[in-house]
Amino acid sequence: MNYLFVMPRFVQNVGDQYIFPLGIAYVSAALKATGRNVYCLNLNLDIRNIDNLIEEYIKKYDISCIATAGLSPHFCQIRDFISYAKKIRPSIVSIVGGGLMTASPEVVMKGIPAADIGIINEGELTIQELAEHIENGNSLENVAGIYYRNQRSELVKTKPRKDIEDLDSLPFPDYDGFGFDGHSGDVTLCTSRSCPYQCAFCFHTCGLKYRSRSLDNIFKEIDWLVEKYDIKAVGILDELFSINNDKVNEFCRRIKNYNLKWSCQLRVDNIDLDTLVNMKEAGCDSISFGIESADNRVLKSMKKHITIEQVEYALDIAKKAKIQPFGNLLIGDIADDVESVRTNIAWFQKHPELNLDIIRTLILPGSSLYKYAVANGYIKDEVAYLERGEFAINITKMNSDEYKRCVALINEVKLNHEYLGKNLKCIRLHPEDHTISAECTCPSCGQEMNVRLADFFALENWACINCGQNFNLNLYQYYQNTIEENLQSFLESGGKIIIWGMGTVARRFAVTSRIFSHENIYLVDKSPLIYGTEMRGKKILNPETLHEISADWLLFGTSLLGKVGKAIPNTTVIEKIKENVAILDWKIAHMAEMDAFLFDIIWKPQSGSLSNI
């Protein structure tokens, strides 16, 4: 029997950086350890049509069982290729795991009718036991930790599987199988599983009990990564690196001789200056702290069990240790109101030197916020919620208008963040990949740097090569006059632009652009939660209500998240939009991602017309 593991696609193009997901690689390694025929398909290494790749692998390797795993934002992608695998070979056994399945198994099994089996929590031991039962034709009722469909297509839940206590017993992740080469993805390391805390916005996909690998086992893997891939840096991907500073200090003592740069995640209430100094001397260059809010009322509601005073102390000693802190301020908790948003914005603006961001809280399946949203009617159809993929919904104390105004204000504050690199100078445009070479100066020490930028509507973050200070760069601010003069000329001459999808790009364009309100720019979105609303006074239209429309350009206003491997790639969303455009029979001369469109305005503008860029 031949098995195929499919890693979902996170990138826009082959070669884009992405965070290599360890979960599916661990499970693949566990099944390979039994001696079975296991093949791996990493969709990030081949940008061809996903269905075509699935069909090619199933036929080429005579696959009898297909398995995959992902998170909630990957629901539609996984549903689609699992369904297609069933069309190609109806007898194929399909298995879905990961945080997506663990968070809401019954919802996912309902939403993916082509899924035969769902693996809950850790999958290494489960997949081995499943293989035995499938190959021998045995009933799955005695396999712990799964949902499956019986012969009557009824959904059956088996008894829970105990957490894996001895993490050292697991084989290292299957890097080779998924084509990892140490360059196309960030090198990550898992030294522990789960987290002992229960923050309201979080969900632990690997059980409730916090467990750690031994340092001997961890450094055995580091030795292997250094020898095989010649790694120079590693990101520790644990939800919480450690709750024991003695262990952190021993880790520092042992990793110091490797001359590796490394990063990790820690709580602000479990750290001291001496430990941070040791971490810095051992190569740690950044720490992600769980900051979440500058308002103690909201922190209490989030069940963070910390205060903003503890946050400020941790950031202060990190600065003294010369380690760059990372963190987010989250807007969207039940307790958030206009006052807490103002508090967060004021605190954000007070600390421009820190690498912080303000983002909307994602109400993700499995979290207590999600359960609250379902119980109180904010989420009425859980399958449709996954399909839409719009997880930043308003469950706060704010009404709809207050929430929208706060979101617009946050976007504006972020795009005008104080701590921007100084003396930005763009020196070369690269049309082959729509990037721009630039020179800038560190706002802290004055070090001159060369960088390469791609996103117009994001604050691209950089660390100074001299002092390590993080700062942001903003392409749109640099090119704003050039872009808007050409757009103004085009629109005044009768040109029309449709922006489809009110994602991150469209929202930031609305906040930033002086000509956003022009009557020849149309906003459309198919989501019933979005169309009919307004963005900066401009009504968002349902595309199905527009008949016989023609436009010079259709621009995709989709989220930028796919570019860094955190959500559904834009390529998936864009294909769906193109399919809808074809059905509507619109007359569209050109389609493009907004960043690429703006790049081409700069690269080869046409006087009075953008039709030929």
Side-chain angles (χ1 to χ4, degrees), residues 181-195:
D181 60 7
H183 304 290
S184 59
D186 295 335
V187 180
T188 53
L189 187 68
C190 177
T191 73
S192 66
R193 288 189 177 181
S194 195
C195 174

Side-chain angles (χ1 to χ4, degrees), residues 378-395:
Y378 293 98
I379 300 171
K380 294 180 172 61
D381 185 329
E382 294 182 73
V383 173
Y385 184 74
L386 283 172
E387 289 175 334
R388 285 195 300 270
E390 297 157 5
F391 301 120
I393 62 174
N394 180 20
I395 63 170

Side-chain angles (χ1 to χ4, degrees), residues 54 58 64-66 79-95 112-117 149:
I54 296 291
I58 288 175
S64 304
C65 178
I66 183 171
R79 177 201 60 194
D80 291 349
F81 71 64
I82 286 292
S83 299
Y84 189 74
K86 280 284 190 180
K87 289 180 181 178
I88 296 301
R89 181 162 291 178
S91 63
I92 201 168
V93 178
S94 54
I95 302 173
I112 309 180
D116 297 316
I117 303 167
R149 304 184 201 278

Side-chain angles (χ1 to χ4, degrees), residues 500 524 526 542-549 577-587:
W500 185 318
V524 302
K526 202 172 181 183
N542 180 348
E544 294 179 356
T545 65
L546 297 176
H547 304 290
E548 299 180 0
I549 191 170
I577 294 175
K578 288 180 177 179
E579 291 172 8
N580 280 285
V581 170
I583 294 171
L584 292 167
D585 198 28
W586 287 356
K587 295 179 181 178

Side-chain angles (χ1 to χ4, degrees), residues 3 31 36 126-136:
Y3 297 81
L31 191 58
R36 289 176 167 84
T126 306
I127 195 68
Q128 293 176 343
E129 194 172 335
L130 270 175
E132 288 285 344
H133 281 67
I134 291 170
E135 291 169 9
N136 294 322

Side-chain angles (χ1 to χ4, degrees), residues 60 93 228 439 585:
K60 181 178 180 180
V93 178
K228 186 170 182 63
E439 293 179 349
D585 198 28

Side-chain angles (χ1 to χ4, degrees), residues 441-460:
T441 304
C442 172
S444 179
C445 71
Q447 172 73 39
E448 293 185 357
M449 295 173 56
N450 295 316
V451 298
R452 194 148 167 168
L453 307 171
D455 295 335
F456 284 88
F457 293 105
L459 289 175
E460 296 203 51

